[in-house]
């Protein structure tokens, strides 16, 4: 058997690797383009299906309107605050940091909004519950300080507005209430 030169061996190896790679890529492409089989039992998406639940959520436009109304209410009283609006699941829809608001205020606003929507109550009321159940404050993502207000539709929470940065929680909550009121206009 004739011995191959180094150059021939390198070229032969490169061609083999390229052929193997092309075959693997072709197989992957073919399997990726094959449509997946439909699930055995699909859930019907109609109003009569009891497996589905509809929920109400604020639009980004509505959340922004509420947040801006909150900032405007604070500005009228020369307060520098941040405001956050979260959906029913606690996901942030919009956060606005007012001019001159402290660096801690955006995060505090989100936590107050989350706390308000989680318990469907203003956070000033929830602070009172800590006397009976002090461990509530240990729940991740919550902040039991006045400044959060729930947004309700037919008594059910659909969002929360949180405000942080004013010198008192009462002011924060007053501004959050202005944001909630703006949604009714």
């Amino acid at each position: 058997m004739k011995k191959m030169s180094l150059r021939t061996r390198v070229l032969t190896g490169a061609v083999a690797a390229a052929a193997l790679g092309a075959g693997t890529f072709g197989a992957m492409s073919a399997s990726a383009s094959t449509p997946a089989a439909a699930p055995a039992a699909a859930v019907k998406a109609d109003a009569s299906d009891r497996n589905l639940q509809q929920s109400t959520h604020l639009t980004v436009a509505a959340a922004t309107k509420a947040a801006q109304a909150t900032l405007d209410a604070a500005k009228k009283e020369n307060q520098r605050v941040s405001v956050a609006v979260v959906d029913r699941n606690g996901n942030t829809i919009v956060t606005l940091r007012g001019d001159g608001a402290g660096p801690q205020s955006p995060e505090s606003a989100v936590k107050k909004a989350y706390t308000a929507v989680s318990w469907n109550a203003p956070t000033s009321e929830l602070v009172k519950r800590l006397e009976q159940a002090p461990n509530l404050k240990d729940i991740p993502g919550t902040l039991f300080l006045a400044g959060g207000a729930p947004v309700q539709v037919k008594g059910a929470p659909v969002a929360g507005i949180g405000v942080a940065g004013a010198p008192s929680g009462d002011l924060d909550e007053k501004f959050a209430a202005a944001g909630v009121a703006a949604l009714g206009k």
Side-chain angles (χ1 to χ4, degrees), residues 45-136:
D46 61 34
S48 65
D49 191 341
R50 294 189 179 145
N51 291 320
L52 300 177
Q53 181 179 13
Q54 291 183 341
S55 61
T56 304
H57 294 273
L58 289 183
T59 63
V60 171
T64 303
K65 176 183 176 180
Q68 189 60 57
T70 301
L71 276 183
D72 292 345
K75 189 174 182 179
K76 284 180 186 175
E77 297 192 28
N78 295 316
Q79 298 301 316
R80 296 174 184 94
V81 301
S82 291
V83 58
V85 181
V86 301
D87 67 12
R88 175 61 185 110
N89 300 321
N91 299 310
T92 303
I93 302 171
V94 65
T95 303
L96 298 177
R97 182 172 180 237
D99 295 334
Q104 80 293 351
S105 63
E107 183 179 350
S108 296
V110 169
K111 288 181 176 183
K112 289 180 182 184
Y114 176 79
T115 305
V117 75
S118 295
W119 277 274
N120 194 24
T123 52
S124 61
E125 289 180 21
L126 297 171
V127 170
K128 297 172 190 169
R129 294 185 193 177
L130 288 177
E131 294 171 11
Q132 304 301 325
N135 291 358
L136 283 177

